[in-house]
Amino acid sequence: QQQVKQSPQSLIVQKGGIPIINCAYENTAFDYFPWYQQFPGKGPALLIAIRPDVSEKKEGRFTISFNKSAKQFSLHIMDSQPGDSATYFCAATDSWGKFQFGAGTQVVVTP
Amino acid sequence: DSGVTQTPKHLITATGQRVTLRCSPRSGDLSVYWYQQSLDQGLQFLIQYYNGEERAKGNILERFSAQQFPDLHSELNLSSLELGDSALYFCASSGPHGGGRFAEQFFGPGTRLTVL
């Protein structure tokens, strides 16, 4: 069963738009939530990560919003560019170190 | 280039066979992780080794096994292969400071396994 549910499956936005990807989890033992970016033919790469003691984290044009009570977190890509077109995965892990990944969201940013 | 190398790049084999995938972590990294990526299952964490010892176990089948050697390279052994084992297998490494789960993982380019 999918312990981390990710939506939408795919997303198309125009350049400058703000794609938003949402993830939800049930396991309250999760305490670390990384996001990965994957380009075709490449392995995933860590984009940004958050722990539940903060509600928001920004790194460049990427922002994670975290709602601990709702057990939801989301990725916003500000001022999106065609080079941001990729598949994005949210993930979660607990103190046992087992990583659970969302199903992935394919983002396409059109020029 | 992440600095993590994986061989082979592609592997085609038949059902029932056994294969070995190899991973060399980034220089100085002590942790190695294995992942399976398939179209229907997405990205699945299989197992983590830290400095030669198993650290965390995910959804790894009993037909699969892994080890990390003294030189820190790792191998993932897949046996009694089934059609459903066809997937991309990624190795990632992190460290060198304890390789804890908060450490950034650097992924290799993957090995594409096709089981016919």
Side-chain angles (χ1 to χ4, degrees):
Chain A
Q1 71 283 15
Q2 201 83 33
Q3 291 202 29
V4 178
K5 295 185 178 173
Q6 183 173 346
S7 63
Q9 194 172 9
S10 62
L11 199 46
I12 301 175
V13 298
Q14 287 191 324
K15 178 182 172 182
I18 306 176
I20 300 172
I21 305 169
N22 300 299
C23 288
Y25 64 96
E26 288 297 324
N27 187 349
T28 54
F30 288 148
D31 62 357
Y32 179 64
F33 303 88
W35 284 88
Y36 290 86
Q37 180 188 53
Q38 185 178 26
F39 293 105
K42 303 287 186 184
L46 180 67
L47 192 60
I48 185 173
I50 197 168
R51 298 192 201 187
D53 52 344
V54 298
S55 60
E56 186 175 276
K57 183 174 181 180
K58 293 182 182 181
E59 280 188 13
R61 295 183 292 104
F62 300 91
T63 298
I64 301 177
S65 298
F66 190 87
N67 186 331
K68 188 175 179 178
S69 60
K71 292 183 283 187
Q72 295 176 347
F73 56 111
S74 59
L75 177 71
H76 296 60
I77 306 175
M78 314 304 280
D79 187 27
S80 60
Q81 302 296 312
D84 297 329
S85 297
T87 299
Y88 294 81
F89 294 93
C90 61
T93 185
D94 58 19
S95 59
W96 293 101
K98 291 173 61 172
F99 282 80
Q100 300 286 348
F101 285 81
T105 297
Q106 186 173 17
V107 173
V108 174
V109 182
T110 60
Chain B
D1 183 0
S2 66
V4 177
T5 60
Q6 289 187 249
T7 56
K9 195 169 182 178
H10 301 279
L11 199 46
I12 301 175
T13 188
T15 54
Q17 295 298 305
R18 172 189 169 96
V19 297
T20 297
L21 312 184
R22 183 188 169 102
C23 168
S24 293
R26 294 187 318 154
S27 177
D29 281 359
L30 299 178
S31 272
V32 169
Y33 306 76
W34 285 98
Y35 295 89
Q36 179 193 58
Q37 186 173 36
S38 59
L39 284 175
D40 58 343
Q41 294 286 328
L43 196 58
Q44 300 279 330
F45 166 67
L46 297 178
I47 198 163
Q48 178 202 356
Y49 279 83
Y50 171 70
N51 203 19
E53 294 194 3
E54 184 182 303
R55 171 69 67 89
K57 207 166 187 175
N59 302 322
I60 188 166
L61 299 172
E62 285 192 11
R63 300 184 285 109
F64 297 180
S65 64
Q67 55 183 326
Q68 186 179 26
F69 294 87
D71 67 351
L72 301 176
H73 91 272
S74 178
E75 292 181 357
L76 179 67
N77 299 297
L78 315 176
S79 62
S80 302
L81 285 168
E82 302 175 0
L83 296 177
D85 297 328
S86 295
L88 258 175
Y89 290 84
F90 287 106
C91 164
S93 74
S94 71
H97 305 297
R101 58 203 178 90
F102 302 127
E104 180 175 357
Q105 295 179 34
F106 295 86
F107 282 73
T111 292
R112 181 170 293 281
L113 173 67
T114 302
V115 182
L116 300 175

